[in-house]
Amino acid sequence: VRTYEEVWRAVWGQPPEKTPGPELRRRIHVTASRLRKTLREQGTGEDVTSVRKQGYRFSVRIAQPRRRG
């Protein structure tokens, strides 16, 4: 799980100190929503999950090999 502040630094490349908490979370939420939509449209199997009051989790679904038999 990455905190809101860690996501902010990774995406915008600067510390979030100048942005108030509610605005910071709202901007990150909108960006995560757009990223989810893009990932879904591209069918990558990747996802961004919101973790309440903590931040976000990035996950990759690994396809299981088909069993023959």
Side-chain angles (χ1 to χ4, degrees):
V1 174
R2 297 292 176 200
T3 66
Y4 296 107
E5 290 78 13
E6 289 172 327
V7 172
W8 183 275
R9 280 190 197 98
V11 174
W12 286 280
Q14 60 186 0
E17 290 112 15
K18 296 180 182 178
T19 305
E23 182 182 336
L24 173 111
R25 286 182 175 83
R26 186 170 42 256
R27 287 180 68 183
I28 292 172
H29 178 73
V30 168
T31 301
S33 177
R34 291 177 181 159
L35 178 58
R36 276 189 209 104
K37 180 182 178 195
T38 300
L39 293 172
R40 210 173 23 250
E41 288 172 351
Q42 293 183 1
T44 63
E46 300 167 324
D47 193 20
V48 178
T49 306
S50 176
V51 179
R52 189 174 184 181
K53 296 185 179 182
Q54 292 182 30
Y56 288 90
R57 178 182 302 120
F58 184 77
S59 60
V60 178
R61 292 184 201 105
I62 299 172
Q64 296 295 323
R66 293 184 184 181
R67 293 184 183 193
R68 297 179 189 216

